[in-house]
Amino acid sequence: MNKPNDLAGLVLDPVTADQRYIGESEPRHSAKRLLEGQGTYVDDLQFPRMGHVVYWRSPVAHMRIIQIHSAAARNLPGVLAVVDGVQMATICKPWVATLSHLAGMKSAPQHALAIERACWQGEPVVAVVAESRAQAEDALQLIEVEWEELPAVVSMLTALDPETPLIHPELGDNLCFTRSLNVGEVDAQFAAADVIAEATFGFGRHTGVTLEPRCQIADYNPGDHRLTVYHSQQAPHMMQDLYCRQFGLAESDVHVICKDVGGSFGIKVHAYPDDFATVGLAILLGRPIKFVADRLESFTSDIHAREHQVKGRIAATKQGDILAFEIDDLTAIGPYSMFPRTSAIEGNQVVNLVGGPYKHQHYRAQLNVVFQNKTPTCQYRGVGHPIACAVTEALVDLAAEKLQMDPLVFRQRNVIPDDAYPCSGASGIKFEILSHEQCLRTIEKMMNYTELRQEQATLRKKGIYRGIGFAALIELTNPSAAFYGVGGARIASQDGATARLDPSGVVSIMVGVGEQGQGTEGIYAQIAADAVGVPIADVRIITGDTAVTPYGGGTWASRGAGIGGEAVLLAAQALQENILRLAGAILQRDTAELLVRRSQIIDKATGQAVLPFSEIGRIGYFRTDTLPNDFKVDLMVTRHYAQRDYPFIFTNGVQASYVEVDLDTGFVTLLKHWAVEDCGRVLNPMLVDEQVRGAIVQGIGGALYEECLYDDSGLLRNGNMADYLVPMANEMPDIEVAHVQTPTASSQLGAKGAGEAGTAGAPAAVMNAINDALMPFKVKVFEQPITSEKILHALGKI
């Protein structure tokens, strides 16, 4: 095993000449400021003449809007405006969220405020703006909307039935997207198989529950036609582009600023109707408008994810070789595809990723993505990976059980060998370099697997039922333009960074990938400090500002280190080169004779410091008259990076879970969880470990607790923190993390992503562990979240 801070035996190309921070557990760059309460979140911001908006949202799943009565609300003190969908549509264009590379995908036009119909509980219909939030909420109570309730499509299982009403009749049916994939000779492989295992899997909807809800302040200056939006968002340049397109503005007239962001998990990488409505109100009223979602409306207005039913089967030989996988995935996305990334991506990812870690070459998949009258679903942390991994790994366990083969041995026999890369998976996805064999060996030692099995057997004799579950996973990171750009979405696959030496010798880094709580500012400071050659205390990081940072894609798909970090590295290296050139001109020496060490120019031959950075800054900015006439001083450089070698760079790993199931209550106790992660070069072991642990906890939430429950009429039954369960610290097991490092050759840093793999593998490992505990009773539970009720039902006790 290669420990993050011990790279003995691991060949890595040197990134910097004076590497002191990369690879070390440096404390998070902004931690002190945030811990002291000095963070700046959207709701902290106050502006003169600022109005506050609240939204009247549809109380039912599907309704026709007959008439809106707003006179009483308009007449309340402090009320600035009451705006409906017809008024908003005069300045904000509708949108259709489809991608051209998802052939045949369709969705209906959507407006910032519903006009004729509202299609889910929570869709914004009327905006009320007042001088204070309290006044706006008081006025909201006086809005009266006459509506006719329409039939709601609630169950995805019947969404395509001929007798089911059409949500959008102009589309012809309730099918958003369908895809079929058939590779190899699946029927022949199943016909020849010694063992076939199959199951149907269910995955419940859940949502992000970020600490800071979605919020924004839009400020339009009619004098210079300039729009400024303060946003809690993951992709500032994407939102800048969308505001330009929807309101007919130029990029130079739209400024998006994302200061501190209190968590995102993918919830804040989409464009919501109320985003556009808030901007539209600022334009209509010519004053700043603030929107902050409260926790209750977040449950029905934030995107949901993961509502799938998957029928899967696996074929294997009696010797223990996997021959083929087959799945049929049905997923529901609400009444509209989300803008601009679309809601078909999650299901598409499931098709791409099922069976991914294994060396079979026969695979068939069918995907149907259907509309329904529930909150729209879209990309959320992991994006299809938890579903694909759970289906794959449960089928692998079922096959191993039928073969009476140890599930760990079965995986060791069937994963793609570490020396087989580069290669392609059965679905056609391209792998550069993965390490499942080494990860399996590592986790076997970490968990003392043989002893753990002996403990399990001993306890079963005493009536204590514990289970061990594994999950081998792959996770796409560092995406190229093949993700969105190829489909026509204007979402940047590249990112840029600017590095500047200030006159005092401090280095400022401006980068398009923002900080969402995951620690990107910290690793950018580490990279810049090493690459320029300064103490980390002399690095300043600026993110999330479209007027300052180079154009970039933002934070999504675990691209912060691999894309943003590489851009920072390139800019910082270029700045050091320019510093050395300037030093050579000042000292009248060949730059080959000089080195940079800790904010000093060093004589390479003697090792003596000959010029401090502060003097370079002084001369470079204020005394250029002392330099040769033809010498150009450039102490501010910008570099961009886009990953082009592969459509994605894949992270991989293995997780294991150890649980105990109480047969009388159905209660699951999480005893221990192990993760071996390969995210390429580990830039900061402490941050990576906590990213992995946090992602595992989020994955466990989906496996055991979190689910958005709807009634038969399409109303959310548990949209509050009392009834929607999230994992808490006292329920979580100890999580032990180790690393294997196989750096990607697509960049100098060699970093892959680390933010989502934990979420991808945890649900599969926990589900397999529960079913392993239940094995003596010959029952399985394949519907997540796995609740006590479901376990007791499987056991025939209720």
Side-chain angles (χ1 to χ4, degrees):
M1 178 179 69
N2 292 305
K3 298 179 181 178
N5 56 355
D6 180 10
L7 302 184
L10 181 65
V11 178
L12 295 175
D13 293 332
V15 174
T16 72
D18 184 24
Q19 186 168 316
R20 291 173 292 140
Y21 299 108
I22 295 174
E24 297 300 319
S25 291
E26 183 70 24
R28 186 178 294 190
H29 201 62
S30 59
K32 186 174 185 293
R33 174 177 62 84
L34 295 174
L35 288 170
E36 291 177 349
Q38 300 302 312
T40 304
Y41 298 92
V42 170
D43 204 28
D44 295 324
L45 302 175
Q46 301 293 330
F47 297 101
R49 300 179 63 249
M50 186 166 70
H52 298 258
V53 61
V54 295
Y55 291 101
W56 192 96
R57 299 178 183 274
S58 174
V60 296
H62 198 192
M63 71 177 188
R64 178 175 290 110
I65 302 167
I66 298 173
Q67 193 169 0
I68 298 171
H69 302 280
S70 59
R74 293 175 192 274
N75 292 330
L76 277 187
V79 173
L80 301 172
V82 178
V83 176
D84 62 21
V86 173
Q87 293 169 278
M88 187 61 64
T90 62
I91 62 166
C92 181
K93 303 172 187 175
W95 59 88
V96 177
T98 57
L99 291 171
S100 61
H101 69 301
L102 301 180
M105 184 186 180
K106 60 191 184 224
S107 186
Q110 189 176 1
H111 289 269
L113 297 174
I115 296 179
E116 295 178 352
R117 291 182 303 134
C119 294
W120 83 88
Q121 179 197 14
E123 182 172 5
V125 178
V126 184
V128 179
V129 186
E131 293 174 353
S132 72
R133 174 69 179 247
Q135 290 171 324
E137 290 185 349
D138 287 346
L140 188 69
Q141 308 308 311
L142 300 180
I143 298 291
E144 294 185 10
V145 178
E146 295 181 36
W147 78 76
E148 174 193 356
E149 191 162 358
L150 300 174
V153 179
V154 179
S155 172
M156 64 180 177
L157 301 178
T158 59
L160 299 179
D161 291 353
E163 62 271 19
T164 299
L166 300 184
I167 298 175
H168 305 293
E170 67 273 21
L171 298 182
D173 53 31
N174 289 324
L175 182 65
C176 169
F177 175 65
T178 186
R179 179 188 174 192
S180 298
L181 180 67
N182 197 345
V183 179
E185 300 176 344
V186 175
D187 289 333
Q189 295 300 315
F190 273 94
D194 299 305
V195 165
I196 296 173
E198 56 188 321
T200 298
F201 305 88
F203 300 89
R205 278 177 168 244
H206 47 283
T207 187
V209 197
T210 54
L211 283 174
E212 179 195 28
R214 289 188 303 107
C215 47
Q216 68 185 124
I217 298 172
D219 185 7
Y220 182 71
N221 186 326
D224 57 11
H225 303 288
R226 185 164 174 80
L227 172 68
T228 302
V229 182
Y230 296 85
H231 224 317
S232 180
Q233 237 277 345
Q234 295 173 238
H237 284 102
M238 181 193 83
M239 294 308 299
Q240 177 194 46
D241 177 75
L242 294 179
Y243 293 144
C244 290
R245 285 195 280 158
Q246 298 313 117
F247 293 97
L249 301 168
E251 280 98 341
S252 58
D253 295 331
V254 178
H255 183 194
V256 177
I257 304 169
C258 297
K259 292 182 176 289
D260 293 310
V261 176
S264 53
F265 312 130
I267 297 299
K268 297 176 182 176
V269 79
H270 311 292
Y272 292 82
D274 45 44
D275 289 334
F276 294 118
T278 302
V279 169
L281 292 168
I283 294 173
L284 286 171
L285 300 177
R287 62 197 301 162
I289 303 296
K290 177 186 279 190
F291 165 65
V292 179
D294 66 33
R295 188 60 68 187
L296 294 179
E297 70 181 320
S298 290
F299 274 104
T300 57
S301 64
D302 289 356
I303 62 106
H304 295 174
R306 315 257 208 266
E307 185 172 8
H308 291 251
Q309 184 191 79
V310 184
K311 298 177 182 178
R313 61 179 187 151
I314 185 174
T317 67
K318 60 185 177 182
Q319 290 79 22
D321 295 318
I322 295 174
L323 298 175
F325 283 90
E326 182 176 20
I327 66 161
D328 188 336
D329 182 10
L330 175 65
T331 181
I333 62 163
Y336 299 99
S337 170
M338 279 294 287
F339 191 50
R341 296 167 188 268
T342 84
S343 302
I345 289 290
E346 182 175 85
N348 198 58
Q349 292 287 75
V350 173
V351 171
N352 288 336
L353 298 171
V354 163
Y358 298 102
K359 56 188 177 184
H360 68 101
Q361 291 299 312
H362 306 275
Y363 175 49
R364 182 159 59 212
Q366 175 64 42
L367 169 69
N368 283 327
V369 180
V370 299
F371 296 115
Q372 59 180 176
N373 293 113
K374 294 182 182 178
T375 300
T377 72
C378 207
Q379 283 82 304
Y380 166 63
R381 192 175 192 173
V383 193
H385 294 72
I387 292 96
C389 185
V391 169
T392 301
E393 295 302 298
L395 291 173
V396 166
D397 263 23
L398 287 172
E401 183 182 351
K402 282 197 169 188
L403 290 165
Q404 297 184 330
M405 183 178 289
D406 183 277
L408 179 61
V409 173
F410 189 55
R411 286 173 171 83
Q412 290 170 331
R413 182 182 180 93
N414 283 284
V415 292
I416 299 172
D418 292 356
D419 61 1
Y421 298 98
C423 67
S424 295
S427 69
I429 51 178
K430 296 180 179 179
F431 300 127
E432 178 198 14
I433 181 169
L434 302 177
S435 59
H436 283 104
E437 288 184 321
Q438 189 174 352
C439 289
L440 286 166
R441 289 193 299 268
T442 301
I443 207 164
E444 183 178 13
K445 294 177 182 177
M446 281 174 65
M447 61 193 298
N448 295 317
Y449 182 58
T450 302
E451 291 82 355
L452 204 63
R453 282 294 185 196
Q454 292 171 351
E455 176 183 283
Q456 179 192 37
T458 300
L459 290 172
R460 277 184 180 173
K461 295 174 183 177
K462 299 177 181 179
I464 298 172
Y465 293 92
R466 293 184 175 182
I468 303 167
F470 291 99
L473 62 99
I474 55 174
E475 189 236 328
L476 63 86
T477 72
N478 299 11
S480 72
F483 208 162
Y484 291 120
V486 70
R490 293 163 62 89
I491 300 170
S493 57
Q494 60 87 50
D495 246 281
T498 296
R500 182 184 69 212
L501 180 70
D502 295 332
S504 63
V506 169
V507 173
S508 294
I509 301 291
M510 286 72 79
V511 58
V513 180
E515 173 67 68
Q516 315 284 307
Q518 74 275 53
T520 50
E521 287 185 1
I523 62 170
Y524 296 159
Q526 291 176 264
I527 294 166
D530 277 356
V532 178
V534 298
I536 197 167
D538 288 347
V539 178
R540 303 290 181 267
I541 305 295
I542 300 167
T543 66
D545 189 327
T546 60
V548 175
T549 63
Y551 204 97
T555 302
W556 49 274
S558 301
R559 67 193 298 278
I563 304 294
E566 191 71 12
V568 170
L569 176 69
L570 296 175
Q573 288 175 330
L575 178 61
Q576 190 196 68
E577 291 175 10
N578 288 356
I579 289 170
L580 281 168
R581 287 182 58 249
L582 179 53
I586 294 170
L587 298 170
Q588 299 183 9
R589 295 184 59 174
D590 189 333
T591 56
E593 301 173 1
L594 305 174
L595 291 173
V596 171
R597 285 290 185 277
R598 307 183 188 188
S599 297
Q600 297 277 349
I601 301 300
I602 305 296
D603 185 304
K604 187 184 295 186
T606 67
Q608 297 297 311
V610 293
L611 193 66
F613 273 22
S614 57
E615 184 66 4
I616 290 173
R618 184 187 71 83
I619 294 174
Y621 286 112
F622 310 124
R623 290 304 310 274
T624 52
D625 60 301
T626 64
L627 300 172
N629 287 338
D630 60 347
F631 187 85
K632 295 181 180 179
V633 177
D634 193 356
L635 296 179
M636 182 172 178
V637 296
T638 299
R639 294 292 183 270
H640 291 83
Y641 173 74
Q643 195 279 121
R644 294 187 177 89
D645 295 339
Y646 293 85
F648 313 97
I649 299 299
F650 276 88
T651 289
N652 73 275
V654 176
Q655 292 184 32
S657 184
Y658 190 39
V659 308
E660 183 176 314
V661 178
D662 187 309
L663 302 183
D664 294 322
T665 64
F667 189 77
V668 175
T669 302
L670 300 162
L671 301 172
K672 189 72 180 283
H673 200 98
W674 298 267
V676 180
E677 171 83 355
D678 183 350
C679 59
R681 185 196 295 263
V682 175
L683 304 180
N684 186 316
M686 177 174 62
L687 288 181
V688 171
D689 284 359
E690 296 316 308
Q691 276 281 289
V692 172
R693 287 191 177 96
I696 287 170
V697 169
Q698 204 153 16
I700 290 172
L704 295 181
Y705 307 112
E706 299 185 53
E707 185 173 19
C708 297
L709 299 169
Y710 283 82
D711 65 18
D712 292 340
S713 62
L715 298 183
L716 185 63
R717 296 193 287 124
N718 63 331
N720 59 78
M721 293 304 294
D723 298 320
Y724 182 92
L725 303 181
V726 294
M728 306 292 282
N730 63 331
E731 292 142 3
M732 291 300 101
D734 286 339
I735 301 171
E736 187 176 340
V737 180
H739 297 274
V740 171
Q741 297 191 57
T742 56
T744 172
S746 68
S747 66
Q748 291 186 53
L749 277 176
K752 306 173 186 177
E756 296 173 282
T759 304
V766 170
M767 179 174 66
N768 283 346
I770 292 170
N771 286 329
D772 185 52
L774 298 175
M775 190 177 296
F777 307 96
K778 302 188 185 306
V779 299
K780 308 284 184 187
V781 182
F782 291 128
E783 186 175 337
Q784 297 184 19
I786 301 174
T787 62
S788 298
E789 181 181 15
K790 293 172 184 174
I791 290 173
L792 293 174
H793 187 270
L795 290 168
K797 296 195 173 186
I798 59 172

